[in-house]
Amino acid sequence: MMKRDQCLKSLVERRTGEAVVAVWQAGVEWEEYSKGHPLNFTAVRTMGECSTFALGLALARPDLKVIALEGDGSLLMNLAGLVTIAAARPKNFVQFIFQNGIYETTGGQCLPNVEEVNFAGIARNCGYEAVYDLHDFETYETELDDILASEGPVIAILHVEAGERHTSAIDWGSKVRSRDLEVVSRFKRALNAKC
Amino acid sequence: MQIREVPGHVPQISKKIDCSVLHDQLKAAQIQYLVTLPESPYEELLKSVQGDGMIRVIQVCRESEGIAICSGLYYGGAKSAWLASFKGFYNSIDSILGVAFRTQSSFLMMISEAGTKTDSLWRDPENGRHSEALLKCLDIPYCVFNSTADLSVIPQLVSISASSVKPIVGILRF
């Protein structure tokens, strides 16, 4: 089993010019480790819509690799999005799912029946071009360059424990949501500059 | 999006709104993507758009996904329109607030609303009579298209949406 923050720190090191759309705990950690990179976007606040927002961006900007980072709870809120993404066939789209089996932000409540769910199998059967199902950090490190280089849509299911905690649910409003406007402006400027 | 001929299917063709004119107005507004969940009142439009190939159709499994896709398209510099039934609008409200509003995204939303106040179905609790009240509540500007002549404002609606960086709605009363 891996730690989410381990995976994110490693992804930060391998990042080149990709836009990264990250939500909830993954978004908070991602911002922390990638030091407010201008191509980070963490302002999507509807569970299940991180990857569909990223899909739209990827379709409109085929010159730009787009990465979506979200948890298994978020994925379950819009499992049908896997079908939508596979049908749209964005070649420049990579999706990382952090599967820890819990709603971490709200206090660690378990997801329903998640031990039985095979997200990688579902994604494969939806028609993703490349599917990775990774349980340990060494394999993740080995596969990461391939994940980022593969033609999309790509999905990597990362079986993780909870990562380092950067904010509590109580702090969410003041520490996270209040930064959304700044993130929105920064991301728009960065995308325009990269045209 | 693939469309197959279904034996015995009778296409629903509106007498009030000409879908070829609607298609032309979307092109005049420089819409590049039509994000939709298919419904019978606008099947004629979808066939027309698919056949023309100037606008790419992105088919979704649930309408709320389309709100996020249109927001992402906006960030990528593309003009898009979302097209769904009034029930699709109802199930998209969380995405409108949590994605489109939160990310300050601009796109055209087209809500297909069956029936008018004179129809017997108007009082049906699942009919579209709640759309206008909800749009007012959400502070989303909208126009009602009751006839083909009303469609000419679509390019203007798209411009208003772009300058106000929020979605704008056209209610289609087929």
Side-chain angles (χ1 to χ4, degrees):
Chain A
M1 193 73 96
M2 302 172 269
K3 288 270 193 185
R4 185 180 55 230
D5 51 280
Q6 251 185 326
C7 299
L8 290 173
K9 284 174 183 168
S10 181
L11 184 57
V12 167
E13 288 168 12
R14 312 277 184 103
R15 182 184 197 179
T16 50
E18 300 90 345
V20 177
V21 182
V23 291
W24 307 108
Q25 291 294 341
V28 176
E29 285 182 13
W30 180 254
E31 273 285 271
E32 187 75 21
Y33 303 140
S34 60
K35 310 286 184 220
H37 191 290
L39 283 172
N40 289 350
F41 195 66
T42 53
V44 171
R45 293 279 168 245
T46 298
M47 279 185 79
E49 303 299 0
C50 166
S51 51
T52 39
F53 178 93
L55 167 64
L57 178 58
L59 291 171
R61 288 291 300 266
D63 59 312
L64 181 69
K65 180 82 86 174
V66 180
I67 296 173
L69 307 175
E70 64 184 330
D72 45 2
S74 186
L75 177 64
L76 281 177
M77 287 287 277
N78 182 21
L79 203 53
L82 294 175
V83 178
T84 300
I85 291 163
R89 305 212 169 283
K91 291 182 177 175
N92 54 332
F93 177 91
V94 183
Q95 185 176 8
F96 289 91
I97 302 297
F98 297 96
Q99 183 171 353
N100 63 7
I102 58 171
Y103 296 109
E104 195 176 330
T105 305
T106 57
Q109 300 90 348
C110 291
L111 302 181
N113 209 31
V114 75
E115 296 83 5
E116 304 294 323
V117 178
N118 178 355
F119 289 118
I122 294 170
R124 199 170 287 119
N125 288 324
C126 286
Y128 273 63
E129 283 293 325
V131 178
Y132 297 82
D133 194 23
L134 305 174
H135 292 259
D136 65 85
F137 187 65
E138 289 69 30
T139 313
Y140 168 79
E141 282 272 272
T142 307
E143 299 280 11
L144 188 51
D145 285 339
D146 275 351
I147 294 170
L148 294 173
S150 293
E151 190 167 284
V154 178
I155 191 167
I157 309 296
L158 310 181
H159 297 262
V160 297
E161 298 169 45
E164 287 174 23
R165 201 155 181 87
H166 293 278
T167 190
S168 67
I170 294 167
D171 289 336
W172 198 269
S174 58
K175 285 191 177 170
V176 181
R177 280 204 179 99
S178 61
R179 289 207 304 262
D180 282 353
L181 276 180
E182 176 196 327
V183 169
V184 160
S185 311
R186 187 185 70 191
F187 194 55
K188 283 180 177 174
R189 279 197 307 275
L191 286 171
N192 286 335
K194 215 172 158 54
C195 274
Chain B
M1 186 179 70
Q2 292 184 324
I3 302 175
R4 289 186 192 165
E5 291 300 324
V6 179
H9 173 67
V10 180
Q12 195 170 317
I13 297 175
S14 172
K15 289 176 184 166
K16 295 196 292 182
I17 291 178
D18 184 332
C19 281
S20 68
V21 176
L22 177 53
H23 184 185
D24 287 342
Q25 289 300 331
L26 293 175
K27 287 199 283 189
Q30 298 178 312
I31 295 297
Q32 298 162 272
Y33 291 88
L34 181 64
V35 183
T36 188
L37 195 143
E39 280 280 2
S40 47
Y42 46 82
E43 61 171 295
E44 198 191 353
L45 173 69
L46 295 180
K47 274 186 183 168
S48 173
V49 172
Q50 281 284 106
D52 183 43
M54 298 291 285
I55 297 172
R56 180 171 173 188
V57 177
I58 305 295
Q59 187 176 359
V60 295
C61 300
R62 191 168 169 81
E63 297 90 342
S64 52
E65 294 173 22
I67 299 294
I69 293 170
C70 287
S71 300
L73 285 166
Y74 166 73
Y75 271 72
K79 285 188 181 176
S80 67
W82 174 95
L83 173 63
S85 70
F86 59 93
K87 292 185 84 170
F89 166 52
Y90 301 166
N91 86 35
S92 298
I93 287 175
D94 183 29
S95 291
I96 291 169
L97 297 172
V99 188
F101 279 17
R102 176 67 63 173
T103 65
Q104 300 183 339
S105 295
S106 156
F107 54 92
L108 175 67
M109 291 173 62
M110 294 186 293
I111 300 170
S112 155
E113 206 171 62
T116 66
K117 286 179 183 172
T118 56
D119 294 337
S120 57
L121 277 174
W122 186 253
R123 289 288 160 206
D124 185 310
E126 286 192 289
N127 219 322
R129 64 195 162 93
H130 307 292
S131 302
E132 286 191 68
L134 287 167
L135 289 166
K136 284 176 189 163
C137 181
L138 294 167
D139 196 24
I140 300 177
Y142 68 92
C143 270
V144 178
F145 302 137
N146 286 305
S147 70
T148 301
D150 297 336
L151 301 172
S152 61
V153 299
I154 284 178
Q156 194 186 343
L157 292 185
V158 171
S159 296
I160 293 168
S161 171
S163 57
S164 61
V165 283
K166 66 190 286 189
I168 198 161
V169 168
I171 297 177
L172 293 158
R173 295 229 167 102
F174 286 106

